[in-house]
Amino acid sequence: MLSLLLAAGGAAISAWADEVPDFEREARIVEQVEPYLFEGEPLWLEGGGREFLAVHIEVEEADGTVILLHGRDVHLDEEELIGPLRTGLAERGWATLSLQMPVLAKGKTYYDYLPILGYAHPRIEAAIDYLESRGVSRIILAAHSCGVHMANDWMNSVAEPRIDGYIAMGLGVTDVGQDLKTPFPIGRLSVPVLDIYGTGEYPRPLAMVPHRQELLRQNGNPLSAQVPVEGATHFFRGYGDVMIGKLADWLDGFSR
């Protein structure tokens, strides 16, 4: 196992200083997952003064690297979406770097996660630092579910995110009775944005589709797009291959 210590450089920690992720649960998750990472190289990066697990699949003459952020109550190689994407995109010419994100106890809600979203900031920054140190010139951030909230919170905290594109999967989902508190940054970004969602998504995120279309118009990048996945739910269960194809097809636009 390769251990790499990379400072995250000035990323903000959540304003709720007394709220912290469940690092013990994260350690248990990592112990269960790391031995079974058969594809890619496990790395230990440092962000926010703590080491965290990542897994990197390098591709010769890659078009770029996709940083993957998983959702709530899963991990950096979960079998329905992030696991298939990190290997499938590599087969389509894109290197991948999947990050273990901060977690809470199982069953916590969106509101519970709000105070710890900032703990994701230094992890994202550390991943970008790592890739830039290796000469990667095109970095795409791709996030699912709670990972989208973490990505959005990070982008809302910086003037110019150091990424070349953003993929949001399941954008805007919250728990029942909980209002969205994490603003969408996509309208102010200058980089291309892919807003991809299942037609079987939860009702409130589906109701936000027209608003997100308007934000993409404000974004104005010709590569920005909103793509529905017919029949898929928020979790994209059973749609791993479909998602690989749709993300890879959109990513191919960077090299056209």
Side-chain angles (χ1 to χ4, degrees), residues 112-123:
D112 294 322
Y113 268 81
L114 284 175
I116 72 158
L117 294 183
Y119 282 87
H121 299 189
R123 298 194 183 195

Side-chain angles (χ1 to χ4, degrees), residues 11-185:
I13 292 294
S14 172
W16 293 270
D18 57 339
E19 298 287 346
V20 298
D22 188 337
F23 294 116
E24 291 185 1
R25 181 176 183 232
E26 180 179 343
R28 294 194 298 272
I29 290 171
V30 167
E31 287 178 0
Q32 295 169 2
V33 172
E34 187 181 12
Y36 300 100
L37 293 172
F38 295 122
E39 295 191 61
E41 181 178 20
L43 310 172
W44 285 90
L45 305 179
E46 183 181 336
R50 301 186 70 94
E51 287 189 321
F52 66 96
L53 181 64
V55 59
H56 189 196
I57 299 181
E58 295 192 78
V59 174
E60 188 174 349
E61 298 183 359
D63 292 323
T65 299
V66 180
I67 298 173
L68 293 163
L69 311 184
H70 64 80
R72 191 172 73 198
D73 287 337
V74 290
H75 52 75
L76 82 173
D77 195 38
E78 62 93 2
E79 63 183 9
E80 294 292 347
L81 183 61
I82 300 299
L85 286 177
R86 74 176 194 86
T87 55
L89 291 178
E91 292 173 359
R92 290 285 299 264
W94 285 81
T96 61
L97 181 64
S98 185
L99 311 185
Q100 178 59 45
M101 305 310 293
V103 302
L104 291 174
K106 193 167 184 177
K108 294 295 184 179
T109 69
Y110 167 65
Y111 275 6
D112 294 322
Y113 268 81
L114 284 175
I116 72 158
L117 294 183
Y119 282 87
H121 299 189
R123 298 194 183 195
I124 297 168
E125 294 279 356
I128 294 170
D129 288 345
Y130 167 71
L131 294 175
E132 288 182 344
S133 75
R134 297 175 67 87
V136 175
S137 59
R138 183 181 287 150
I139 298 173
I140 310 299
L141 183 63
H144 175 234
S145 195
C146 189
V148 173
H149 295 311
M150 293 178 174
N152 289 349
D153 196 64
W154 168 67
M155 285 184 278
N156 288 332
S157 75
V158 296
E160 292 291 338
R162 291 183 294 149
I163 56 174
D164 301 290
Y166 178 41
I167 300 170
M169 298 173 279
L171 180 61
V173 71
T174 61
D175 291 88
V176 174
Q178 297 184 349
D179 294 328
L180 183 68
K181 303 291 185 181
T182 320
F184 299 149

Side-chain angles (χ1 to χ4, degrees), residues 78 80-81 144-145 168-171 173 196-203 205-206 212 227-240 242-243 246:
E78 62 93 2
E80 294 292 347
L81 183 61
H144 175 234
S145 195
M169 298 173 279
L171 180 61
V173 71
I196 185 166
Y197 64 95
T199 60
E201 176 62 275
Y202 294 115
L206 281 180
R212 302 198 315 254
V227 175
V229 181
E230 189 65 36
T233 67
H234 175 73
F235 300 101
F236 299 99
R237 291 192 180 103
Y239 282 79
V242 173
M243 291 295 285
K246 289 188 178 296

